[in-house]
Amino acid sequence: MSDFPFLSVLTVAPLVGAVVVALLPRSRPTLAKQVALGWSLLVLALSVVMWVSWQVDGQRFQFRESYPWIPNWGVSFTFAADGIALVMLMLIAVLVPLVILASWHDAESSKRSVPVYFALLLVLECTMLGVFAAADVFLFYVFFEVMLVPMYFLIGSYGGHQRQYAAVKFFLYSLVGGLFMLAAVIGLWVVGGKTFDWVALSEVDISTGAERWLFLGFFIAFAIKAPFFPFHTWLPDAGGAAPAGAAALLVGVLDKVGTFGILRYCLPLFPDAAQWFAPWALGLAVIGIIYAALLAVGQNDLKRLVSYTSIAHFGFIGVGIFAFTTQAGTGAVLYMVNHGLATGLLFLVVGMLISRRGSALVSDFGGAGKLVPVLAGVLFFAGLASLALPGTAPFVSEFLVLIGTFTVNKPVAIIATLGIILAAAYVLWMVQRTTQGTLNPALTEIDGMKRDLNLREKFVVAPLIALIVLLGFYPKPVTDVINPAIQATLEDVGRSDPAPTVDTLQEASR
Amino acid sequence: MTELELPPIDYAALAPILIMLSAAVLGVLVEAFVPRRLRHPVQLPLALLAVLAALTMVVFNADKRVITIGVIAVDGPTLFLQGAILALSAVALLLIGERAVERGGAFVAHAAVTADSPEDRRQAENVGGAGEVYPLTTFAIAGMLIFVSANDLLTMFIALEVFSLPLYLLCALARRRRLLSQEAAMKYFLLGAYASAFFLFGLALIYGFTAGLGDRQAGVDFATVNAAVANSTASPVLLFAGMALVAIGLLFKAAAAPFHVWTPDVYQGAPTPLTGFMAACTKVAAFGALLRVFHVAFEGARWDFTPVLGVVAVLTMLVGALFAVTQTDIKRLLAYSSIANAGYLLVGVLAPGSEGLSGTMFYLVAYGFTVLAAFAVVTLVRDADGEATHLSRWAGLGRKSPLYASAFTFILLAFAGIPMTSGFTSKFAVFGPALEGGQVWLVIAGVLSSMVLAFPYLRVVVMMWLSEPGESTPTVAVPGGLTSAALVIGVLATLVLGVAPAPLLDLATSAADFVR
């Protein structure tokens, strides 16, 4: 079964689905939704099969496929997944059907074509899967850039107010980063002897100066994408304006391309430069944790608030990556998955609240829990997961990151820990001001606020809650996949752990 | 390679040029003897057939590597560029021949009628267009074919005039906005004449420089110039001044800064199909000549001209990108975009070796098809007064005609260099060799200007899709078969060259070797 070309099929399948959905008549929106949902479930089923056929003790890269594309430049369609890519692929496959289900009525309010909205979601899935599955730097770059286009139209055509501004800002920021990367990609191609194959490139010796410049080209692109402070200003605008489903994908998956890219490209391809730049990257990450958390505390717009919390979380991931220990690295990758689940859930729930109230402002709510108790409960849970309460999945990852960092860099770990306190502040205040306290009389006059979660919405949140709890208590299946990949990455960088005690830590976290 | 006894004329090698010239002469005769109403139905097929026949001859010549009668070099780059010019001309001719979008086509019948007079407005409404457009275009194509194959500076100069003069005339023939059109033609003619004068003066200085070759007669053929660059005892001032003046003449045609000032006005004023023709084919011809002059004749002075041309390239990219940001007219925007693209092409010209050469040639073809498709869409967006070129008028176009707005969006993404379009592969094709040649600063300038340039393109996309249509949003005219064909070919080429560039790259690579 492992000979099956999982990765290419997985990448192409949503694209085919998108074409099918786009061709459906505009007058049959429900059919389009059903087809899109069915298709994304098929992709999920395929990726589950892929997960099962993954060999935990196998090679670092599995499911490798390679087809020639542009031989003149040494470009090929090469797909291969390591453990990090595998868990991200799974995350995408899980999130997309839920987002489609959650966005069931999102496109209708915008007066624009409903099938196109769902087709765009599927195109987005195709590019996201492709970017994680690619093992050819050129192919990675292609997906990295093309990914912008569906997201641009999702935000720009179907978003809330200020959607034009947000869409253009998103596109330009990402494109600027992408062009820096393009220069670096070409540079890498030249110094690497005209190949784009990741494996071949990771064995090339590059002079120190060139390596630092190339690292910087890639790093800027990824730092904008992730986003790290100070390249983050596009995310609150984009996240605030995007429809909730698209925002969940934007923050839950798209931004992970940045951190994934650092792990897959910046570290193994430019190990010395990565070490040289690590203090700077750690600095940015720590500033991001504190600064974004403070801004999140002050937000009055729910979606912007969640966006800022993400920036803070990406700070944690950044710290985990650049601490160069197995625990911290595993924690960072686990955080990428958990953050996708937790923030994805938070975005979706917030979206449900907003669509009921017709406003995204925290001050327009108040005591909503009395009207929609289940929804308020889910929001509370999502909030707790987001602040990494023990028992939820993000706790495991945050703890691993902090422990792993503490062994090598105490000040960073200590400052980052402050972020946890701030996280409690922004989440709890947000929950308190929206769902607790005295009921805002204005809410009772809105019909939407009288409807609690319906069956469809329960189907959206239930799997995410289940996964968050499950991974909170038993992260082993995921860490088992991640660990070898992280160890291999750190070997590439040439760093070893001061005291490799991953297993006992996992015991401690249970 | 160059034998001194006069070689027999290789008519097969010259066939593409001869076919186009005879078609042009035939076109003039048709204009004189065929009744008015039959002229268009005769002229368009005649021109198209000639282009196709010439293209066939180019393919037939594919393996030829000769210099015939001493002045026409038929080699890989020549054939590739001639093929490119002919293929792009065929598409441009489809646009030029379109008569369904506007009654009588985009060209005016009596260009001499006072602009904006009542009579002029009457003919804009009713009178069928002029047929002399076709022979003029055919002459221009023939001139371009000679231009890219010229093996000495004098032939190159004659070819320059042969293709420039018809273009000056054609610019003045727009059916609508006659004053703009005539102003454009005047400006283009005057500046073009200066540029030609520069070229000619440079040619004379180079001739003087080659006189310093002791054992060899002075001359302006590239082999002699090449030898002179290496061995001449004459003052190098002659060489540098001559090289600079020749370069100015060529860079003017290529629309490189600071010799670009005519471009926005001419692109805006000229009839749109012709703008497309100029943006695609003139660019191929100008860069074809630049490649030959700098790779063959002045090869030995590479170290001397690279910094100067590099500065020109950077300036061109930045001027094109920065001014594009402020434009409010789609044709002017595309003009500045074409200037910026000239900068990227110059990066390719400066990249040493055959890879830079093949990359540049690939870029020319890819850009040509995309820009033709872009102007094809521009001809379609119109209201009662003709084309609606002001950007504000494009607001909400995506809602009114999603198909054409999608096509234009795709084209703009290609200009912005998004992967899976030819815009991306062609940028890679020139930046890769440039970086390999150590010209990091050129690539960085290219990347920076691409960032700036993304903004104006994106603004148009925003206009079309994210703005609500206003009352003044024009409807898109139903295109005739010819414009549709041109648009489809342009968009398809943009897509195919973006997704599967390998065949054309192979062709360009195998063609990237000059005979000397």
Side-chain angles (χ1 to χ4, degrees):
Chain A
M1 196 60 196
S2 61
D3 291 339
F4 185 78
F6 279 111
L7 294 171
S8 54
V9 173
L10 206 58
T11 306
V12 174
L15 191 64
V16 178
V19 174
V20 171
V21 172
L23 291 178
L24 290 173
R26 208 179 155 162
S27 53
R28 303 276 303 277
T30 318
L31 182 68
K33 294 171 190 174
Q34 286 161 347
V35 173
L37 181 63
W39 212 285
S40 61
L41 286 173
L42 266 180
V43 173
L44 175 60
L46 184 66
S47 56
V48 169
V49 177
M50 180 176 78
W51 176 273
V52 172
S53 38
W54 175 270
Q55 288 158 337
V56 175
D57 327 316
Q59 292 174 322
R60 176 180 185 184
F61 286 98
Q62 298 183 24
F63 309 126
R64 186 181 167 88
E65 307 167 47
S66 191
Y67 316 101
W69 181 14
I70 313 174
N72 318 51
W73 298 336
V75 178
S76 59
F77 286 106
T78 305
F79 295 101
D82 59 0
I84 306 170
L86 181 76
V87 292
M88 292 312 295
L89 293 172
M90 274 313 287
L91 176 68
I92 298 165
V94 169
L95 274 183
V96 169
L98 298 176
V99 162
I100 289 177
L101 200 58
S103 314
W104 212 249
H105 298 297
D106 276 9
E108 281 152 23
S109 53
S110 70
K111 296 183 294 183
R112 289 174 192 252
S113 166
V114 175
V116 169
Y117 179 80
F118 289 94
L120 282 173
L121 280 178
L122 285 175
V123 174
L124 187 63
E125 182 176 20
C126 158
T127 57
M128 291 188 303
L129 289 169
V131 87
F132 287 107
D136 181 281
V137 181
F138 190 93
L139 188 64
F140 173 81
Y141 179 78
V142 166
F143 281 117
F144 186 85
E145 288 283 270
V146 173
M147 200 165 59
L148 302 180
V149 178
M151 197 38 134
Y152 169 77
F153 282 105
L154 280 172
I155 298 175
S157 299
Y158 300 92
H161 72 281
Q162 278 222 320
R163 56 198 165 87
Q164 291 190 16
Y165 170 76
V168 172
K169 193 168 177 183
F170 161 74
F171 198 94
L172 285 181
Y173 263 73
S174 304
L175 193 71
V176 165
L179 286 166
F180 276 116
M181 187 160 100
L182 175 63
V185 165
I186 301 176
L188 182 63
W189 177 71
V190 170
V191 297
K194 304 206 173 173
T195 176
F196 282 108
D197 186 65
W198 187 90
V199 179
L201 285 173
S202 64
E203 285 159 8
V204 172
D205 275 329
I206 310 172
S207 70
T208 310
E211 187 179 338
R212 285 183 190 164
W213 282 111
L214 294 178
F215 174 90
L216 215 54
F218 277 91
F219 183 76
I220 289 176
F222 295 141
I224 290 176
K225 197 71 166 185
F228 289 146
F229 176 86
F231 307 108
H232 64 279
T233 58
W234 63 271
L235 182 63
D237 289 318
L249 286 181
L250 175 72
V251 175
V253 180
L254 217 68
D255 292 351
K256 260 64 159 218
V257 176
T259 47
F260 171 80
I262 293 176
L263 274 170
R264 168 68 74 80
Y265 297 94
C266 284
L267 264 47
L269 297 184
F270 319 111
D272 298 328
Q275 298 211 39
W276 196 76
F277 278 105
W280 298 94
L282 278 175
L284 289 184
V286 169
I287 294 174
I289 294 176
I290 304 297
Y291 177 74
L294 287 174
L295 285 178
V297 173
Q299 287 306 308
N300 192 28
D301 180 302
L302 278 168
K303 284 201 278 189
R304 289 180 72 90
L305 192 152
V306 180
S307 304
Y308 275 114
T309 70
S310 289
I311 300 170
H313 293 159
F314 278 109
F316 274 107
I317 301 177
V319 168
I321 293 173
F322 282 100
F324 298 127
T325 62
T326 316
Q327 299 142 13
T330 307
V333 177
L334 195 59
Y335 211 145
M336 283 158 63
V337 178
N338 294 338
H339 175 264
L341 297 173
T343 309
L345 177 66
L346 193 57
F347 249 122
L348 294 175
V349 177
V350 161
M352 292 170 189
L353 264 179
I354 292 171
S355 69
R356 283 174 165 73
R357 176 65 177 89
S359 160
L361 298 184
V362 173
S363 53
D364 283 346
F365 289 90
K370 298 193 173 59
L371 297 172
V372 283
V374 182
L375 180 55
V378 176
L379 177 73
F380 188 52
F381 177 82
L384 291 182
S386 187
L387 68 81
L389 190 79
T392 61
F395 169 73
V396 183
S397 38
E398 203 161 292
F399 194 70
L400 276 175
V401 166
L402 289 175
I403 280 284
T405 311
F406 190 79
T407 55
V408 289
N409 196 336
K410 293 191 174 58
V412 168
I414 291 168
I415 301 174
T417 311
L418 290 178
I420 300 183
I421 302 170
L422 289 170
Y426 58 67
V427 166
L428 294 178
W429 266 330
M430 185 265 287
V431 171
Q432 185 191 19
R433 286 185 294 166
T434 48
T435 59
Q436 309 296 314
T438 46
L439 180 63
N440 182 347
L443 288 182
T444 52
E445 290 158 23
I446 295 167
D447 288 338
M449 290 305 293
K450 288 169 189 151
R451 292 195 310 272
D452 209 339
L453 282 191
N454 61 27
L455 191 64
R456 172 179 63 83
E457 289 166 332
K458 283 177 184 154
F459 266 114
V460 173
V461 296
L464 287 173
I465 294 176
L467 276 173
I468 289 171
V469 174
L470 184 75
L471 291 179
F473 284 90
Y474 190 62
K476 188 168 160 29
V478 181
T479 50
D480 277 354
V481 172
I482 299 171
N483 244 325
I486 282 295
Q487 273 162 0
T489 305
L490 291 180
E491 262 168 42
D492 287 339
V493 184
R495 291 286 276 258
S496 56
D497 295 330
T501 50
V502 180
D503 287 331
T504 50
L505 275 169
Q506 279 175 359
E507 293 295 330
S509 65
R510 274 178 215 160
Chain B
M1 279 260 182
T2 42
E3 293 165 16
L4 284 179
E5 73 258 30
L6 194 66
I9 297 176
D10 186 342
Y11 284 102
L14 293 177
I17 298 168
L18 295 178
I19 291 173
M20 290 320 291
L21 282 174
S22 358
V25 173
L26 212 59
V28 174
L29 292 177
V30 168
E31 211 48 30
F33 294 111
V34 171
R36 176 173 280 279
R37 70 197 156 73
L38 284 181
R39 279 181 208 161
H40 170 69
V42 173
Q43 290 278 29
L44 179 63
L46 174 68
L48 275 175
L49 270 180
V51 168
L52 292 182
L55 196 55
T56 320
M57 281 315 292
V58 169
V59 176
F60 179 75
N61 281 342
D63 296 323
K64 227 177 241 310
R65 302 284 183 271
V66 293
I67 296 177
T68 183
I69 47 175
V71 293
I72 301 287
V74 177
D75 53 11
T78 295
L79 290 164
F80 187 93
L81 293 168
Q82 285 188 338
I85 289 171
L86 289 166
L88 293 169
S89 307
V91 180
L93 271 172
L94 296 176
L95 289 178
I96 292 171
E98 177 64 87
R99 298 233 155 160
V101 173
E102 179 158 39
R103 218 186 113 80
F107 296 87
V108 75
H110 307 292
V113 173
T114 314
D116 263 0
S117 64
E119 196 187 344
D120 187 40
R121 259 168 274 151
R122 218 170 15 256
Q123 74 166 353
E125 295 307 321
N126 302 318
V127 184
E132 57 266 27
V133 174
Y134 300 102
L136 285 173
T137 313
T138 331
F139 268 124
I141 298 170
M144 291 172 184
L145 295 186
I146 305 171
F147 197 53
V148 296
S149 60
N151 195 42
D152 70 43
L153 287 170
L154 203 56
T155 313
M156 193 171 258
F157 175 74
I158 292 165
L160 178 72
E161 293 306 300
V162 170
F163 86 77
S164 294
L165 288 171
L167 286 180
Y168 301 146
L169 271 177
L170 285 164
C171 278
L173 293 183
R175 174 175 289 268
R176 313 268 181 171
R177 306 200 181 90
R178 301 271 314 124
L179 275 174
L180 263 185
S181 173
Q182 291 181 350
E183 184 195 325
M186 196 63 192
K187 219 173 242 181
Y188 194 22
F189 172 67
L190 283 178
L191 291 175
Y194 293 142
S196 296
F198 277 119
F199 187 94
L200 205 53
F201 193 37
L203 194 164
L205 293 181
I206 297 289
Y207 182 78
F209 179 69
T210 57
L213 276 171
D215 56 339
R216 201 166 163 172
Q217 219 183 343
V220 286
D221 62 292
F222 293 155
T224 309
V225 176
N226 191 322
V229 170
N231 302 319
S232 177
T233 52
S235 157
V237 173
L238 283 177
L239 170 67
F240 294 140
M243 199 158 69
L245 291 174
V246 166
I248 288 176
L250 295 175
L251 289 172
F252 171 83
K253 281 290 163 203
F259 318 108
H260 67 284
V261 282
W262 59 276
T263 316
D265 292 335
V266 172
Y267 274 32
Q268 186 187 19
T272 308
L274 190 82
T275 313
F277 177 66
M278 287 196 293
C281 299
T282 309
K283 206 136 250 174
V284 179
F287 276 95
L290 270 170
L291 282 170
R292 191 174 289 278
V293 166
F294 284 103
H295 277 251
V296 180
F298 297 133
E299 174 69 39
R302 175 167 286 281
W303 286 103
D304 300 310
F305 69 71
T306 299
V308 180
L309 274 188
V311 170
V312 171
V314 171
L315 197 63
T316 308
M317 291 187 271
L318 292 183
V319 163
L322 292 175
F323 281 88
V325 173
T326 60
Q327 296 310 311
T328 53
D329 184 283
I330 187 73
K331 283 171 86 176
R332 289 184 82 86
L333 198 162
L334 288 173
Y336 278 105
S337 138
S338 129
I339 293 171
N341 275 290
Y344 303 139
L345 281 160
L346 271 178
V347 175
V349 172
L350 290 177
S354 68
E355 288 197 335
L357 177 58
S358 65
T360 313
M361 294 197 296
F362 178 81
Y363 197 118
L364 284 166
V365 176
Y367 175 72
F369 278 111
T370 313
V371 84
L372 276 170
F375 282 108
V377 176
V378 174
T379 62
L380 293 176
V381 181
R382 50 199 313 134
D383 58 15
D385 293 332
E387 289 158 6
T389 53
H390 197 276
L391 271 184
S392 63
R393 308 288 307 278
W394 286 51
L397 197 73
R399 209 69 70 76
K400 285 203 163 180
S401 21
L403 189 63
Y404 296 104
S406 308
F408 202 64
T409 306
F410 180 70
I411 293 161
L412 288 171
L413 290 178
F415 281 146
I418 300 290
M420 308 306 269
T421 65
S422 64
F424 171 67
T425 44
S426 48
K427 280 210 178 71
F428 190 92
V430 293
F431 287 167
L435 209 54
E436 213 180 342
Q439 276 132 358
V440 181
W441 60 297
L442 288 180
V443 175
I444 288 176
V447 165
L448 289 177
S449 67
S450 301
M451 290 174 192
V452 178
L453 207 49
F455 179 69
Y457 297 143
L458 207 58
R459 211 170 43 141
V460 181
V461 176
V462 171
M463 275 285 179
M464 289 193 300
W465 292 101
L466 310 185
S467 301
E468 298 299 316
E471 281 187 6
S472 65
T473 302
T475 44
V476 168
V478 181
L482 296 176
T483 307
S484 311
L487 185 56
V488 168
I489 294 172
V491 170
L492 270 186
T494 306
L495 181 68
V496 169
L497 293 181
V499 176
L504 189 67
L505 277 172
D506 280 335
L507 193 63
T509 310
S510 67
D513 189 26
F514 288 107
V515 295
R516 284 159 208 271

